[in-house]
Amino acid sequence: MTPSRKVVGVLLTVISFAITIGILWFPKSDTKYRFDISKKKGSSSFQAPKKNVWADLTRDEANSIYDFLVEEWTELNVTRIPKTGRENFILTVETLQPNKSDVLPYLWQNHKEPERWAKVVLSYNEGDKPQLIYHAVGPLPVSAETTRVVPLTYPFTSGRNAVSNLMTDFVASQEFSLSLAEEISDITIELLGARVNRQNPYDPDALLAFPRFTRHESGHLLGWIQLFRPGAGSSGRTLLPQGIYARVDASSSNVSDWTVDDWFYNGLVYNSVEEFREAIKNPEFLKTPPNVDGPWTDTEDFDTQPEGRELPPPVSIQPYGPRYKLDRSEKYVSWFGFEFYLTSTQATGVSLFDIRFKGERVMYELSLQEALAHYAGDDPMAGGQEFLDTFFGMGTNAFELVPGYDCPAYADYLDTELHRGGKSDRLPSNICIFEFTSDYLLSRHTAQYSVTASRNTYLTIRSVSTVGNYDYTIDYVFYLDGAIEVKVRASGYIYGAFYANNPYKHEDEYGHRVHTALSTSMHDHVINFKADLDVAGSANDMVRLAIEPTVISYPWDQPYTQERNTMHLKEYAVTHETGLDWPKNSGELYIVYSRSAKNAWGERKGYRIASGTGMGNAPHLTVVNSTALGRSAAWAARDLWVVRHKDTEPRGADPLNYLAAHAPLVDFAALADAERLAAADDLVVYFNVGSHHVPHSGDVPNTLMHTSASGVMFVPHNFADRDPSRESVQGVRVQLQGRRSGGFAGEVPGGDVPGEGEEDLRVREKSSGGRYKMHEGANYFGTPYGEDVKLRLEDLEPDLERRYESKDIRVSDLGLNGSAAGIWAAAP
């Protein structure tokens, strides 16, 4: 019943007090209350329980390491800030993650903090065999007495700490490609109606030339150079390939020694440029139309106004401030039982460490390992094109997020710093943290006299890595029941193929025609993550809990049913390091159990690994024994893997594998080598997300995120005694009549309506001895909104002129040295 106005004045005070202390009872009232969110304050006093031992280097730490190494490596003539790729210089400096065996005693036994070390990559270019070499520097802080530099070999299955640098002089390689295009300007004008324009590369009709190089097992470095139309400042170059290709032997480290072998156009190979020119003169020579830029590659439409676009869409708000706690200095987060640290690395981006739920251990580490894209096609570029994106830097290319678009306006934003090429660069606001309420409930139930609905709120840690043409949105998502999801969504320009209309082309074998002279290239995205599970401790084992059909004879069925066709659970222990695929018909549950910890019912505490929300099951690589990838991505052959944790195997891949595909620094096959798993091992699961991408017309101009999403979830399995979200969730029980719950129509004797004095079995005594009094109408659990909210425009539409800092973003190209080139190409 609605309270009388005489009571309202008293209720104002009660409700205000209830909001403050979290009382769950909110009576109905027509009175409105206002709360100005501009006055909200964060929890600045919140502190992490321990220091973040995985944190990236500070700028002062990086500067001291640069100074130390320049002095230490005097005889190597190391340049701190290189001006060309031919100098000896320190490519990257970042934290060397401490060994788990050193961290756990610090976290759980109050042992001393692990020593802090740095990992550096030296670009060494003396002689004719340039190399990229890993070293470790420490302990930190730098001290002339104690700090030393040693070769870093223990994380690599190869035993090596270096790879050959296939492309040291990036500018020279670009010059070679442009010069080659200029030499055939007569051909490009004839076939494409355009030529290279060095004076104005943004000329909408000008051509650019880019190579794709591959190291073959023979040791030869071969590349195909393809021409592209850049468009009028368009970033859609990968939609504008042209159909002329030249094969280059780039085996020499001296670009002046490179040679051009073959030419390819419209399905035919020509052994020389002269042969190509003569063929063009033939009246029967088959030409294809050029691929020309235009509005069709634009990602924005500022003019069209269909009905409804005149109104802004709904947005999420957070009027009372965040419900999570954040220690910015240590990058430590606490939210409804979850606690964890986060950090970022240049190769792999955001990683999470020491994930706990309700005080119990769940994971030691959750981190990206590698992101692969493997193409197929009938032209020299698409036919063998592959990328390992950590080489270009998933953290290096994690750029500033757009408030109100990438993340809600109310999100917290964190910066990262890069220490590369003698300098430190800040990447502002490239990680966001926010709580969000889903458009679907966490749970609900309708009974005869009540309806209960629980809102589904979750916490997200988000970053976006833009590698060349693709933007990967990477989410770590935490749910109130203890579930954790890893989700990746892709957008950006597809890497298209030139549409060749000739008798040799197999229609739609590799993709679809999507414009006048553009077809799509099918490709696999396989993105690998590491989950070092510590389910209630490090002593874990893994099982496959199968749901199998069976035929059973029950005594209670006799004599009418001799045998019953049914199903049952059958457990299979995973006894060796192995790879697994998602089971047919979802017929198995993959569960990592604590070896000894049990819940109140005697069931072992566990976490289930399941293919998460998205476009079907997360995939593995279609290509078997990839010619281009060699041994650099064995992890992509199965959906997930289970291996033993070893300090000497901290990662399943290395960014420099891209330069040594057939002899990688980290060969995943050496990690997952069928070693027997002991009864109480410390297990690590490597798992893949991604998609088999067959682009279609809807991918032009950009691939859409809702059709490219993929995820894997870690779901509590008997981890708690009951659903832990009941303690944290916000919801409502709408009591329709009286106080009784449950029941079905016709079950109440005589059809009586429950009276006020009848006991409600859904209401239990609270641990404090208090008792909640159920009443007709809305009964809230958790704290609902109880007053009007005053909103600023900034909370609905952030002022991006003020809040977005970046003026120039160095998006990496996808050339062999595109990532490293950004260090010195712009140096004076």
Side-chain angles (χ1 to χ4, degrees):
M1 298 177 61
T2 303
S4 66
R5 296 192 178 276
K6 182 178 180 181
V7 180
V8 168
V10 177
L11 291 180
L12 285 172
T13 304
V14 173
I15 290 174
S16 177
F17 180 68
I19 293 173
T20 304
I21 66 173
I23 287 179
L24 306 183
W25 178 52
F26 279 78
K28 299 178 182 178
S29 174
D30 295 330
T31 308
K32 304 297 184 182
Y33 313 104
R34 309 195 69 84
F35 180 82
D36 187 351
I37 68 172
S38 64
K39 298 178 181 179
K40 67 183 180 182
K41 297 181 179 179
S43 180
S44 59
S45 61
F46 177 69
Q47 291 184 334
K50 298 272 187 175
K51 186 175 181 181
N52 187 339
V53 295
W54 307 274
D56 198 12
L57 301 175
T58 66
R59 187 169 296 216
D60 288 342
E61 285 178 317
N63 283 331
S64 67
I65 293 168
Y66 281 128
D67 293 341
F68 173 78
L69 290 177
V70 169
E71 181 69 24
E72 188 77 7
W73 285 337
T74 302
E75 72 280 4
L76 301 182
N77 194 29
V78 170
T79 301
R80 174 160 176 171
I81 301 179
K83 295 183 180 180
T84 75
R86 299 294 301 181
E87 301 174 57
N88 294 335
F89 63 96
I90 301 163
L91 179 63
T92 61
V93 177
E94 60 185 340
T95 300
L96 177 62
Q97 300 296 347
N99 291 334
K100 183 179 181 181
S101 60
D102 295 325
V103 174
L104 289 183
Y106 166 70
L107 292 177
W108 295 96
Q109 301 167 20
N110 291 320
H111 285 209
K112 67 177 182 179
E113 181 182 329
E115 285 188 341
R116 188 159 168 80
W117 284 67
K119 176 175 65 176
V120 303
V121 176
L122 171 66
S123 181
Y124 182 70
N125 299 297
E126 298 293 336
D128 59 353
K129 292 185 177 181
Q131 292 183 302
L132 296 173
I133 311 171
Y134 279 108
H135 288 82
V137 179
L140 303 178
V142 169
S143 164
E145 291 75 27
T146 60
T147 301
R148 60 192 188 277
V149 53
V150 296
L152 180 62
T153 57
Y154 79 84
F156 308 122
T157 61
S158 64
R160 309 189 327 270
N161 69 323
V163 299
S164 297
N165 189 356
L166 306 184
M167 189 62 57
T168 57
D169 200 338
F170 183 66
V171 170
S173 71
Q174 287 184 315
E175 287 294 317
F176 179 91
S177 301
L178 286 174
S179 296
L180 181 64
E182 286 179 324
E183 291 173 9
I184 61 164
S185 59
D186 58 321
I187 295 176
T188 64
I189 291 173
E190 173 70 20
L191 299 181
L192 306 175
R195 61 179 297 168
V196 170
N197 184 347
R198 285 182 184 266
Q199 287 68 42
N200 181 17
Y202 289 96
D203 178 352
D205 292 320
L207 298 176
L208 294 177
F210 289 93
R212 177 187 65 80
F213 293 101
T214 301
R215 173 70 77 182
H216 289 253
E217 288 187 81
S218 63
H220 281 78
L221 181 64
L222 300 176
W224 281 96
I225 293 176
Q226 184 175 13
L227 300 177
F228 293 83
R229 251 191 172 92
S234 170
S235 60
R237 173 173 66 84
T238 56
L239 288 182
L240 298 166
Q242 308 300 308
I244 300 176
Y245 311 80
R247 180 157 61 190
V248 177
D249 187 335
S251 299
S252 172
S253 61
N254 189 343
V255 177
S256 62
D257 294 330
W258 290 3
T259 59
V260 179
D261 299 329
D262 298 326
W263 295 80
F264 180 84
Y265 178 79
N266 204 12
L268 294 175
V269 176
Y270 302 93
N271 294 324
S272 67
V273 68
E274 290 78 16
E275 182 181 334
F276 189 17
R277 281 194 174 99
E278 287 301 312
I280 295 172
K281 296 176 183 178
N282 189 323
E284 296 182 359
F285 182 81
L286 183 61
K287 297 182 182 180
T288 61
N291 189 11
V292 181
D293 197 9
W296 65 278
T297 68
D298 291 345
T299 58
E300 309 87 7
D301 185 341
F302 294 102
D303 301 318
T304 306
Q305 287 292 334
E307 184 178 355
R309 204 181 186 190
E310 73 278 5
L311 296 174
V315 295
S316 179
I317 61 172
Q318 181 182 265
Y320 295 166
R323 304 198 303 171
Y324 57 85
K325 297 177 182 178
L326 170 64
D327 181 341
R328 284 181 169 271
S329 62
E330 297 297 337
K331 292 186 176 177
Y332 178 79
V333 179
S334 176
W335 177 79
F336 287 110
F338 273 113
E339 299 169 297
F340 54 87
Y341 296 86
L342 64 91
T343 189
S344 181
T345 68
Q346 295 183 38
T348 60
V350 177
S351 302
L352 307 184
F353 285 92
D354 190 27
I355 302 173
R356 310 182 194 187
F357 183 63
K358 303 291 185 181
E360 290 202 78
R361 293 163 64 183
V362 175
M363 289 187 194
Y364 174 77
E365 177 184 356
L366 183 58
S367 61
L368 175 71
Q369 300 293 293
E370 186 57 272
L372 175 159
H374 198 302
Y375 288 72
D378 58 2
D379 68 58
M381 186 65 76
Q385 188 165 247
E386 86 296 330
F387 302 104
L388 296 174
D389 287 340
T390 64
F391 171 75
F392 305 100
M394 297 292 280
T396 304
N397 292 289
F399 303 114
E400 185 174 4
L401 299 166
V402 182
Y405 291 84
D406 279 314
C407 313
Y410 56 77
D412 274 296
Y413 294 85
L414 303 176
D415 305 337
T416 62
E417 280 198 329
L418 303 174
H419 312 296
R420 297 165 57 81
K423 299 180 293 182
S424 294
D425 294 318
R426 170 177 165 264
L427 293 179
S429 301
N430 66 344
I431 301 171
C432 73
I433 304 173
F434 61 92
E435 187 182 11
F436 198 80
T437 299
S438 176
D439 62 340
Y440 65 93
L441 291 174
L442 184 64
S443 65
R444 78 177 316 282
H445 180 66
T446 300
Q448 187 173 6
Y449 301 111
S450 64
V451 178
T452 300
S454 299
R455 281 184 172 148
N456 184 13
T457 56
Y458 51 81
L459 185 75
T460 299
I461 312 298
R462 175 172 293 169
S463 63
V464 178
S465 297
T466 303
V467 184
N469 54 310
Y470 268 120
D471 295 60
Y472 298 97
T473 297
I474 301 174
D475 288 353
Y476 298 108
V477 186
F478 298 85
Y479 295 91
L480 290 170
D481 66 330
I484 304 169
E485 183 175 16
V486 176
K487 197 170 191 71
V488 177
R489 299 173 177 88
S491 187
Y493 289 103
I494 62 171
Y495 211 121
F498 185 75
Y499 183 78
N501 187 14
N502 58 59
Y504 321 105
K505 183 177 179 63
H506 300 288
E507 191 69 25
D508 286 351
E509 183 178 3
Y510 300 103
H512 305 292
R513 185 179 184 181
V514 292
H515 207 259
T516 305
L518 180 70
S519 65
T520 65
S521 292
M522 64 179 295
H523 54 282
D524 282 354
H525 292 286
V526 188
I527 304 164
N528 187 249
F529 288 82
K530 173 185 178 182
D532 185 341
L533 286 132
D534 281 1
V535 179
S538 296
N540 293 166
D541 57 67
M542 185 174 184
V543 303
R544 295 164 36 230
L545 185 61
I547 303 166
E548 295 182 345
T550 189
V551 179
I552 298 179
S553 177
Y554 296 109
W556 44 264
D557 259 336
Q558 308 307 318
Y560 305 105
T561 302
Q562 296 298 317
E563 292 182 327
R564 181 175 292 272
N565 294 327
T566 183
M567 59 184 174
H568 67 165
L569 296 175
K570 189 170 179 59
E571 188 174 288
Y572 299 93
V574 178
T575 59
H576 293 77
E577 294 184 331
T578 190
L580 300 168
D581 292 334
W582 299 117
K584 181 181 179 181
N585 194 33
S586 300
E588 291 184 353
L589 281 64
Y590 298 149
I591 304 172
V592 175
Y593 280 122
S594 168
R595 189 63 187 170
S596 58
K598 298 180 179 181
N599 67 12
W601 321 118
E603 298 287 349
R604 288 201 292 159
K605 292 173 179 269
Y607 260 78
R608 177 188 172 190
I609 309 167
S611 190
T613 56
M615 295 288 287
N617 284 346
H620 59 263
L621 185 62
T622 304
V623 178
V624 178
N625 299 322
S626 168
T627 309
L629 287 175
R631 292 161 45 201
S632 63
W635 47 267
R638 306 294 295 271
D639 291 331
L640 68 156
W641 304 78
V642 56
V643 301
R644 288 179 58 203
H645 165 80
K646 296 178 182 176
D647 282 345
T648 55
E649 297 176 352
R651 292 204 60 219
D654 187 84
L656 297 187
N657 279 5
Y658 192 53
L659 300 180
H662 300 283
L665 287 177
V666 175
D667 185 345
F668 188 81
L671 274 67
D673 57 358
E675 183 178 350
R676 185 168 183 81
L677 299 175
D681 264 330
D682 186 353
L683 300 183
V684 175
V685 171
Y686 289 91
F687 63 94
N688 297 324
V689 299
S691 64
H692 302 303
H693 194 181
V694 182
H696 57 94
S697 60
D699 287 275
V700 178
N702 275 183
T703 293
L704 304 179
M705 289 192 182
H706 69 288
T707 59
S708 64
S710 175
V712 165
M713 294 190 78
F714 295 84
V715 184
H717 193 87
N718 291 323
F719 191 77
D721 300 337
R722 69 191 294 262
D723 172 19
S725 74
R726 296 304 89 200
E727 302 169 6
S728 308
V729 73
Q730 187 278 335
V732 65
R733 173 175 166 177
V734 181
Q735 189 65 31
L736 306 179
Q737 299 183 58
R739 293 190 292 113
R740 178 176 290 175
S741 62
F744 297 93
E747 287 193 344
V748 179
D752 292 340
V753 175
E756 289 292 328
E758 298 184 37
E759 181 181 5
D760 176 15
L761 298 181
R762 287 278 299 277
V763 177
R764 305 290 194 259
E765 293 289 337
K766 293 189 176 181
S767 58
S768 62
R771 185 178 178 87
Y772 179 83
K773 185 178 181 181
M774 190 73 65
H775 64 273
E776 288 186 11
N779 297 265
Y780 295 97
F781 45 95
T783 306
Y785 291 99
E787 53 187 58
D788 285 352
V789 175
K790 181 180 179 181
L791 288 174
R792 304 168 302 174
L793 177 59
E794 177 71 10
D795 299 302
L796 299 173
E797 192 74 53
D799 182 358
L800 297 179
E801 304 260 357
R802 178 180 61 84
R803 287 189 62 177
Y804 200 82
E805 298 183 41
S806 301
K807 300 301 179 186
D808 180 24
I809 296 175
R810 291 188 179 183
V811 181
S812 173
D813 74 34
L814 296 173
L816 260 186
N817 206 26
S819 159
I823 290 175
W824 48 263

